[in-house]
PDB file of all heavy atoms in Angstrom:
ATOM      1  N   GLY V 402     117.263 -93.800  49.539  1.00 98.00           N
ATOM      2  CA  GLY V 402     116.474 -92.705  48.968  1.00 98.00           C
ATOM      3  C   GLY V 402     116.916 -92.409  47.549  1.00 98.00           C
ATOM      4  O   GLY V 402     116.778 -91.290  47.055  1.00 98.00           O
ATOM      5  N   GLY V 405     114.745 -90.625  44.990  1.00 97.00           N
ATOM      6  CA  GLY V 405     114.281 -89.266  45.286  1.00 97.00           C
ATOM      7  C   GLY V 405     115.065 -88.213  44.512  1.00 97.00           C
ATOM      8  O   GLY V 405     115.907 -88.536  43.659  1.00 97.00           O
ATOM      9  N   TYR V 406     114.800 -86.966  44.840  1.00 97.00           N
ATOM     10  CA  TYR V 406     115.394 -85.828  44.119  1.00 97.00           C
ATOM     11  C   TYR V 406     116.929 -85.794  44.251  1.00 97.00           C
ATOM     12  O   TYR V 406     117.658 -85.914  43.254  1.00 97.00           O
ATOM     13  CB  TYR V 406     114.755 -84.551  44.675  1.00 97.00           C
ATOM     14  CG  TYR V 406     115.384 -83.244  44.258  1.00 97.00           C
ATOM     15  CD1 TYR V 406     115.745 -82.996  42.934  1.00 97.00           C
ATOM     16  CD2 TYR V 406     115.567 -82.225  45.195  1.00 97.00           C
ATOM     17  CE1 TYR V 406     116.296 -81.778  42.571  1.00 97.00           C
ATOM     18  CE2 TYR V 406     116.109 -81.002  44.837  1.00 97.00           C
ATOM     19  CZ  TYR V 406     116.482 -80.789  43.525  1.00 97.00           C
ATOM     20  OH  TYR V 406     117.016 -79.574  43.171  1.00 97.00           O
ATOM     21  N   VAL V 407     117.411 -85.681  45.470  1.00 98.00           N
ATOM     22  CA  VAL V 407     118.858 -85.569  45.687  1.00 98.00           C
ATOM     23  C   VAL V 407     119.546 -86.892  45.367  1.00 98.00           C
ATOM     24  O   VAL V 407     120.621 -86.919  44.741  1.00 98.00           O
ATOM     25  CB  VAL V 407     119.124 -85.143  47.158  1.00 98.00           C
ATOM     26  CG1 VAL V 407     120.608 -85.267  47.498  1.00 98.00           C
ATOM     27  CG2 VAL V 407     118.625 -83.727  47.399  1.00 98.00           C
ATOM     28  N   ASP V 426     115.360 -97.811  47.681  1.00 98.00           N
ATOM     29  CA  ASP V 426     114.242 -96.892  47.960  1.00 98.00           C
ATOM     30  C   ASP V 426     112.990 -97.708  48.228  1.00 98.00           C
ATOM     31  O   ASP V 426     112.750 -98.718  47.557  1.00 98.00           O
ATOM     32  CB  ASP V 426     114.016 -95.949  46.761  1.00 98.00           C
ATOM     33  CG  ASP V 426     113.367 -94.638  47.177  1.00 98.00           C
ATOM     34  OD1 ASP V 426     112.227 -94.688  47.683  1.00 98.00           O
ATOM     35  OD2 ASP V 426     113.994 -93.579  47.017  1.00 98.00           O
ATOM     36  N   ASN V 427     112.216 -97.284  49.222  1.00 98.00           N
ATOM     37  CA  ASN V 427     110.951 -97.987  49.472  1.00 98.00           C
ATOM     38  C   ASN V 427     109.768 -97.278  48.817  1.00 98.00           C
ATOM     39  O   ASN V 427     108.630 -97.641  49.045  1.00 98.00           O
ATOM     40  CB  ASN V 427     110.703 -98.159  50.982  1.00 98.00           C
ATOM     41  CG  ASN V 427     110.438 -96.829  51.669  1.00 98.00           C
ATOM     42  OD1 ASN V 427     110.579 -95.772  51.062  1.00 98.00           O
ATOM     43  ND2 ASN V 427     110.058 -96.889  52.935  1.00 98.00           N
ATOM     44  N   ALA V 429     108.457 -94.513  49.404  1.00 96.00           N
ATOM     45  CA  ALA V 429     107.530 -93.849  50.333  1.00 96.00           C
ATOM     46  C   ALA V 429     107.090 -92.493  49.797  1.00 96.00           C
ATOM     47  O   ALA V 429     105.915 -92.133  49.889  1.00 96.00           O
ATOM     48  CB  ALA V 429     108.204 -93.679  51.701  1.00 96.00           C
ATOM     49  N   THR V 430     108.048 -91.741  49.256  1.00 95.00           N
ATOM     50  CA  THR V 430     107.680 -90.424  48.714  1.00 95.00           C
ATOM     51  C   THR V 430     108.174 -90.253  47.277  1.00 95.00           C
ATOM     52  O   THR V 430     108.060 -89.164  46.724  1.00 95.00           O
ATOM     53  CB  THR V 430     108.260 -89.279  49.588  1.00 95.00           C
ATOM     54  OG1 THR V 430     109.694 -89.412  49.646  1.00 95.00           O
ATOM     55  CG2 THR V 430     107.704 -89.311  50.995  1.00 95.00           C
ATOM     56  N   ALA V 431     108.718 -91.314  46.680  1.00 93.00           N
ATOM     57  CA  ALA V 431     109.194 -91.204  45.291  1.00 93.00           C
ATOM     58  C   ALA V 431     108.036 -91.519  44.341  1.00 93.00           C
ATOM     59  O   ALA V 431     107.170 -92.322  44.669  1.00 93.00           O
ATOM     60  CB  ALA V 431     110.333 -92.195  45.063  1.00 93.00           C
ATOM     61  N   SER V 446     113.484-100.968  52.499  1.00 98.00           N
ATOM     62  CA  SER V 446     113.622 -99.886  53.461  1.00 98.00           C
ATOM     63  C   SER V 446     114.942 -99.977  54.214  1.00 98.00           C
ATOM     64  O   SER V 446     115.296-101.052  54.722  1.00 98.00           O
ATOM     65  CB  SER V 446     112.463 -99.934  54.460  1.00 98.00           C
ATOM     66  OG  SER V 446     112.651 -98.934  55.436  1.00 98.00           O
ATOM     67  N   TYR V 447     115.625 -98.848  54.332  1.00 98.00           N
ATOM     68  CA  TYR V 447     116.880 -98.833  55.088  1.00 98.00           C
ATOM     69  C   TYR V 447     116.631 -99.085  56.573  1.00 98.00           C
ATOM     70  O   TYR V 447     117.549 -99.366  57.335  1.00 98.00           O
ATOM     71  CB  TYR V 447     117.631 -97.512  54.886  1.00 98.00           C
ATOM     72  CG  TYR V 447     116.939 -96.295  55.456  1.00 98.00           C
ATOM     73  CD1 TYR V 447     117.016 -95.994  56.816  1.00 98.00           C
ATOM     74  CD2 TYR V 447     116.189 -95.447  54.638  1.00 98.00           C
ATOM     75  CE1 TYR V 447     116.357 -94.889  57.343  1.00 98.00           C
ATOM     76  CE2 TYR V 447     115.537 -94.345  55.159  1.00 98.00           C
ATOM     77  CZ  TYR V 447     115.620 -94.077  56.508  1.00 98.00           C
ATOM     78  OH  TYR V 447     114.959 -92.997  57.033  1.00 98.00           O
ATOM     79  N   CYS V 468     120.573 -90.763  51.729  1.00 98.00           N
ATOM     80  CA  CYS V 468     119.677 -89.646  51.376  1.00 98.00           C
ATOM     81  C   CYS V 468     118.238 -89.929  51.809  1.00 98.00           C
ATOM     82  O   CYS V 468     117.412 -89.017  51.835  1.00 98.00           O
ATOM     83  CB  CYS V 468     119.665 -89.412  49.861  1.00 98.00           C
ATOM     84  SG  CYS V 468     121.240 -88.963  49.150  1.00 98.00           S
ATOM     85  N   ALA V 470     114.892 -90.323  53.753  1.00 98.00           N
ATOM     86  CA  ALA V 470     114.366 -89.723  54.994  1.00 98.00           C
ATOM     87  C   ALA V 470     112.959 -89.226  54.735  1.00 98.00           C
ATOM     88  O   ALA V 470     112.524 -89.096  53.583  1.00 98.00           O
ATOM     89  CB  ALA V 470     115.235 -88.555  55.448  1.00 98.00           C
ATOM     90  N   GLU V 487     111.175 -93.302  61.603  1.00 98.00           N
ATOM     91  CA  GLU V 487     111.887 -93.486  60.321  1.00 98.00           C
ATOM     92  C   GLU V 487     113.306 -92.907  60.371  1.00 98.00           C
ATOM     93  O   GLU V 487     114.273 -93.601  60.094  1.00 98.00           O
ATOM     94  CB  GLU V 487     111.098 -92.785  59.206  1.00 98.00           C
ATOM     95  CG  GLU V 487     109.834 -93.498  58.811  1.00 98.00           C
ATOM     96  CD  GLU V 487     110.066 -94.581  57.780  1.00 98.00           C
ATOM     97  OE1 GLU V 487     110.870 -94.380  56.867  1.00 98.00           O
ATOM     98  OE2 GLU V 487     109.406 -95.635  57.894  1.00 98.00           O
ATOM     99  N   SER V 511     122.163 -84.356  55.835  1.00 98.00           N
ATOM    100  CA  SER V 511     121.564 -83.646  56.960  1.00 98.00           C
ATOM    101  C   SER V 511     121.060 -82.290  56.463  1.00 98.00           C
ATOM    102  O   SER V 511     120.921 -82.094  55.240  1.00 98.00           O
ATOM    103  CB  SER V 511     122.566 -83.534  58.112  1.00 98.00           C
ATOM    104  OG  SER V 511     121.934 -83.009  59.251  1.00 98.00           O
ATOM    105  N   TYR V 536     111.523 -82.392  62.446  1.00 97.00           N
ATOM    106  CA  TYR V 536     112.397 -82.817  61.345  1.00 97.00           C
ATOM    107  C   TYR V 536     113.863 -82.517  61.677  1.00 97.00           C
ATOM    108  O   TYR V 536     114.729 -83.407  61.622  1.00 97.00           O
ATOM    109  CB  TYR V 536     111.962 -82.109  60.054  1.00 97.00           C
ATOM    110  CG  TYR V 536     112.952 -82.181  58.931  1.00 97.00           C
ATOM    111  CD1 TYR V 536     113.345 -83.409  58.395  1.00 97.00           C
ATOM    112  CD2 TYR V 536     113.506 -81.016  58.390  1.00 97.00           C
ATOM    113  CE1 TYR V 536     114.270 -83.468  57.355  1.00 97.00           C
ATOM    114  CE2 TYR V 536     114.419 -81.068  57.352  1.00 97.00           C
ATOM    115  CZ  TYR V 536     114.804 -82.289  56.838  1.00 97.00           C
ATOM    116  OH  TYR V 536     115.708 -82.357  55.823  1.00 97.00           O
ATOM    117  N   LYS V 540     117.202 -85.122  62.551  1.00 98.00           N
ATOM    118  CA  LYS V 540     118.502 -85.119  61.856  1.00 98.00           C
ATOM    119  C   LYS V 540     119.629 -84.901  62.850  1.00 98.00           C
ATOM    120  O   LYS V 540     120.693 -85.506  62.751  1.00 98.00           O
ATOM    121  CB  LYS V 540     118.511 -84.035  60.778  1.00 98.00           C
ATOM    122  CG  LYS V 540     117.569 -84.318  59.618  1.00 98.00           C
ATOM    123  CD  LYS V 540     118.141 -85.367  58.687  1.00 98.00           C
ATOM    124  CE  LYS V 540     117.250 -85.588  57.488  1.00 98.00           C
ATOM    125  NZ  LYS V 540     117.832 -86.432  56.465  1.00 98.00           N
ATOM    126  N   TYR V 563     122.660 -79.708  54.179  1.00 98.00           N
ATOM    127  CA  TYR V 563     122.285 -78.891  53.018  1.00 98.00           C
ATOM    128  C   TYR V 563     121.467 -77.704  53.471  1.00 98.00           C
ATOM    129  O   TYR V 563     120.651 -77.811  54.386  1.00 98.00           O
ATOM    130  CB  TYR V 563     121.385 -79.646  52.036  1.00 98.00           C
ATOM    131  CG  TYR V 563     121.723 -81.053  51.687  1.00 98.00           C
ATOM    132  CD1 TYR V 563     120.696 -81.921  51.335  1.00 98.00           C
ATOM    133  CD2 TYR V 563     123.030 -81.530  51.655  1.00 98.00           C
ATOM    134  CE1 TYR V 563     120.942 -83.224  50.976  1.00 98.00           C
ATOM    135  CE2 TYR V 563     123.288 -82.838  51.301  1.00 98.00           C
ATOM    136  CZ  TYR V 563     122.232 -83.685  50.965  1.00 98.00           C
ATOM    137  OH  TYR V 563     122.476 -84.985  50.614  1.00 98.00           O
ATOM    138  N   PHE V 564     121.607 -76.631  52.719  1.00 98.00           N
ATOM    139  CA  PHE V 564     120.686 -75.514  52.868  1.00 98.00           C
ATOM    140  C   PHE V 564     119.538 -75.793  51.880  1.00 98.00           C
ATOM    141  O   PHE V 564     118.955 -76.858  51.965  1.00 98.00           O
ATOM    142  CB  PHE V 564     121.451 -74.193  52.748  1.00 98.00           C
ATOM    143  CG  PHE V 564     122.163 -73.896  54.066  1.00 98.00           C
ATOM    144  CD1 PHE V 564     123.120 -74.781  54.571  1.00 98.00           C
ATOM    145  CD2 PHE V 564     121.825 -72.813  54.840  1.00 98.00           C
ATOM    146  CE1 PHE V 564     123.724 -74.575  55.815  1.00 98.00           C
ATOM    147  CE2 PHE V 564     122.428 -72.582  56.079  1.00 98.00           C
ATOM    148  CZ  PHE V 564     123.362 -73.467  56.565  1.00 98.00           C
ATOM    149  N   VAL V 566     118.238 -77.033  48.447  1.00 98.00           N
ATOM    150  CA  VAL V 566     118.719 -77.654  47.220  1.00 98.00           C
ATOM    151  C   VAL V 566     117.787 -77.229  46.078  1.00 98.00           C
ATOM    152  O   VAL V 566     116.568 -77.182  46.255  1.00 98.00           O
ATOM    153  CB  VAL V 566     118.730 -79.185  47.347  1.00 98.00           C
ATOM    154  CG1 VAL V 566     119.451 -79.800  46.157  1.00 98.00           C
ATOM    155  CG2 VAL V 566     119.389 -79.619  48.655  1.00 98.00           C
ATOM    156  N   HIS V 577     108.528 -83.085  44.656  1.00 88.00           N
ATOM    157  CA  HIS V 577     108.004 -83.488  45.959  1.00 88.00           C
ATOM    158  C   HIS V 577     106.487 -83.347  45.953  1.00 88.00           C
ATOM    159  O   HIS V 577     105.941 -82.517  45.242  1.00 88.00           O
ATOM    160  CB  HIS V 577     108.581 -82.610  47.068  1.00 88.00           C
ATOM    161  CG  HIS V 577     110.077 -82.714  47.208  1.00 88.00           C
ATOM    162  ND1 HIS V 577     110.939 -81.685  46.942  1.00 88.00           N
ATOM    163  CD2 HIS V 577     110.850 -83.756  47.580  1.00 88.00           C
ATOM    164  CE1 HIS V 577     112.180 -82.075  47.153  1.00 88.00           C
ATOM    165  NE2 HIS V 577     112.166 -83.329  47.533  1.00 88.00           N
TER     166      HIS V 577
HETATM  167  N1  NAD Q1464     115.727 -81.028  49.103  1.00 83.64           N
HETATM  168  C1  NAD Q1464     116.259 -80.190  49.998  1.00 83.64           C
HETATM  169  O1  NAD Q1464     116.247 -78.961  49.807  1.00 83.64           O
HETATM  170  C2  NAD Q1464     116.910 -80.740  51.254  1.00 83.64           C
HETATM  171  C3  NAD Q1464     117.442 -79.808  52.171  1.00 83.64           C
HETATM  172  C4  NAD Q1464     118.065 -80.314  53.320  1.00 83.64           C
HETATM  173  C5  NAD Q1464     118.166 -81.674  53.526  1.00 83.64           C
HETATM  174  N2  NAD Q1464     117.611 -82.545  52.638  1.00 83.64           N
HETATM  175  C6  NAD Q1464     117.732 -83.985  52.917  1.00 83.64           C
HETATM  176  O2  NAD Q1464     118.179 -84.620  51.752  1.00 83.64           O
HETATM  177  C7  NAD Q1464     117.643 -85.932  51.643  1.00 83.64           C
HETATM  178  C8  NAD Q1464     116.997 -86.120  50.297  1.00 83.64           C
HETATM  179  O3  NAD Q1464     115.984 -85.145  50.138  1.00 83.64           O
HETATM  180  P1  NAD Q1464     115.122 -85.066  48.818  1.00 83.64           P
HETATM  181  O4  NAD Q1464     114.744 -83.642  48.626  1.00 83.64           O
HETATM  182  O5  NAD Q1464     115.800 -85.810  47.732  1.00 83.64           O
HETATM  183  O6  NAD Q1464     113.823 -85.860  49.288  1.00 83.64           O
HETATM  184  P2  NAD Q1464     112.943 -86.922  48.443  1.00 83.64           P
HETATM  185  O7  NAD Q1464     111.679 -87.065  49.224  1.00 83.64           O
HETATM  186  O8  NAD Q1464     112.874 -86.518  47.010  1.00 83.64           O
HETATM  187  O9  NAD Q1464     113.806 -88.231  48.556  1.00 83.64           O
HETATM  188  C9  NAD Q1464     113.821 -89.055  49.680  1.00 83.64           C
HETATM  189  C10 NAD Q1464     113.717 -90.470  49.181  1.00 83.64           C
HETATM  190  O10 NAD Q1464     113.823 -91.363  50.303  1.00 83.64           O
HETATM  191  C11 NAD Q1464     112.922 -92.431  50.117  1.00 83.64           C
HETATM  192  N3  NAD Q1464     112.658 -93.025  51.423  1.00 83.64           N
HETATM  193  C12 NAD Q1464     111.966 -92.507  52.460  1.00 83.64           C
HETATM  194  N4  NAD Q1464     111.939 -93.377  53.488  1.00 83.64           N
HETATM  195  C13 NAD Q1464     112.651 -94.471  53.088  1.00 83.64           C
HETATM  196  C14 NAD Q1464     112.980 -95.715  53.698  1.00 83.64           C
HETATM  197  N5  NAD Q1464     112.591 -96.007  54.940  1.00 83.64           N
HETATM  198  N6  NAD Q1464     113.743 -96.604  53.006  1.00 83.64           N
HETATM  199  C15 NAD Q1464     114.163 -96.316  51.737  1.00 83.64           C
HETATM  200  N7  NAD Q1464     113.862 -95.162  51.099  1.00 83.64           N
HETATM  201  C16 NAD Q1464     113.126 -94.235  51.780  1.00 83.64           C
HETATM  202  C17 NAD Q1464     111.712 -91.772  49.485  1.00 83.64           C
HETATM  203  O11 NAD Q1464     110.852 -92.702  48.823  1.00 83.64           O
HETATM  204  C18 NAD Q1464     112.372 -90.780  48.519  1.00 83.64           C
HETATM  205  O12 NAD Q1464     112.601 -91.372  47.256  1.00 83.64           O
HETATM  206  C19 NAD Q1464     116.714 -86.111  52.836  1.00 83.64           C
HETATM  207  O13 NAD Q1464     117.413 -86.789  53.840  1.00 83.64           O
HETATM  208  C20 NAD Q1464     116.418 -84.673  53.249  1.00 83.64           C
HETATM  209  O14 NAD Q1464     116.138 -84.605  54.630  1.00 83.64           O
HETATM  210  C21 NAD Q1464     116.989 -82.115  51.503  1.00 83.64           C
END
Side-chain angles (χ1 to χ4, degrees):
Y406 170 45
V407 169
D426 206 298
N427 68 352
T430 58
S446 176
Y447 66 80
C468 298
E487 287 275 321
S511 188
Y536 166 61
K540 292 284 184 171
Y563 316 151
F564 281 60
V566 190
H577 298 114

